[in-house]
Amino acid sequence: ANLLGHATSYGYRTSTTPPLHLLPQTITDHRQRRITLTHDSLARQTSLTLHDGENTLLSQVDHAHTNTTFPGVLTRITRKALNTNNDPEWVTDLITDIEHDTLGFPEKIGNDAASLHIQLTHSPSGLILEKTASTGGTTTFSFDDAAQLTTTTLADGATY
């Protein structure tokens, strides 16, 4: 319980295939709002749902892991449109696709259907060296030998 005497409960389950993992399954707060997490047979999170105390679905986010070279990486995030009475007609699922380079680092993040994405260039160790938006503009990043960020240069040339 917290200082106000409110408790949050956590539910876990064990993965079904070795290596065995203790996976979070539910989190319920003192108002009975509940987060439910689901996982696949490889212990990768596949969805997250949020319900209020009346068991009304407030949010659902699905995760996909379709990269066969790097099976653990996240390749798609879909925030489901719930089509509630409060949503405008045009509300649809919000999809974010994530493409990876040959080393498994995120290379392109966004939604190609809407032509909105960013392209990332990494160093061999995974540091982001450049970020280019599909709407235009590139931001570059410089690092010292200890991999500490030293300079950020924005698309307009401003340097920090």
Side-chain angles (χ1 to χ4, degrees), residues 15-16 29 59 80 95 115 131 140 143 146:
S15 61
T16 56
D29 71 8
S59 180
K80 302 298 280 182
I95 297 172
S115 298
K131 178 184 80 168
T140 59
F143 299 86

Side-chain angles (χ1 to χ4, degrees), residues 70-109:
F70 302 100
V73 301
L74 187 60
T75 56
R76 176 173 273 193
I77 302 167
T78 304
R79 186 178 187 285
K80 302 298 280 182
L82 301 179
N83 300 317
T84 65
N85 294 335
N86 298 327
D87 286 341
E89 286 180 17
W90 51 264
V91 171
T92 61
D93 292 351
L94 176 61
I95 297 172
T96 302
D97 289 309
I98 306 165
E99 297 176 19
H100 298 81
D101 64 17
T102 57
L103 298 175
F105 298 118
E107 181 176 57
K108 186 178 179 183
I109 303 170

Side-chain angles (χ1 to χ4, degrees), residues 27-29 31-36 48-62 78-87 91-94:
I27 304 168
T28 307
D29 71 8
R31 294 183 181 154
Q32 299 306 303
R33 292 177 297 199
R34 185 181 73 255
I35 295 173
T36 303
L48 177 149
T49 58
L50 173 64
H51 290 82
D52 67 10
E54 303 296 319
N55 205 31
T56 301
L57 181 62
L58 301 176
S59 180
Q60 178 177 338
V61 180
D62 295 334
T78 304
R79 186 178 187 285
K80 302 298 280 182
L82 301 179
N83 300 317
T84 65
N85 294 335
N86 298 327
D87 286 341
V91 171
T92 61
D93 292 351
L94 176 61

Side-chain angles (χ1 to χ4, degrees), residues 26-45:
T26 59
I27 304 168
T28 307
D29 71 8
H30 69 283
R31 294 183 181 154
Q32 299 306 303
R33 292 177 297 199
R34 185 181 73 255
I35 295 173
T36 303
L37 305 164
T38 58
H39 301 82
D40 65 13
S41 63
L42 298 177
R44 301 175 298 193
Q45 184 176 316

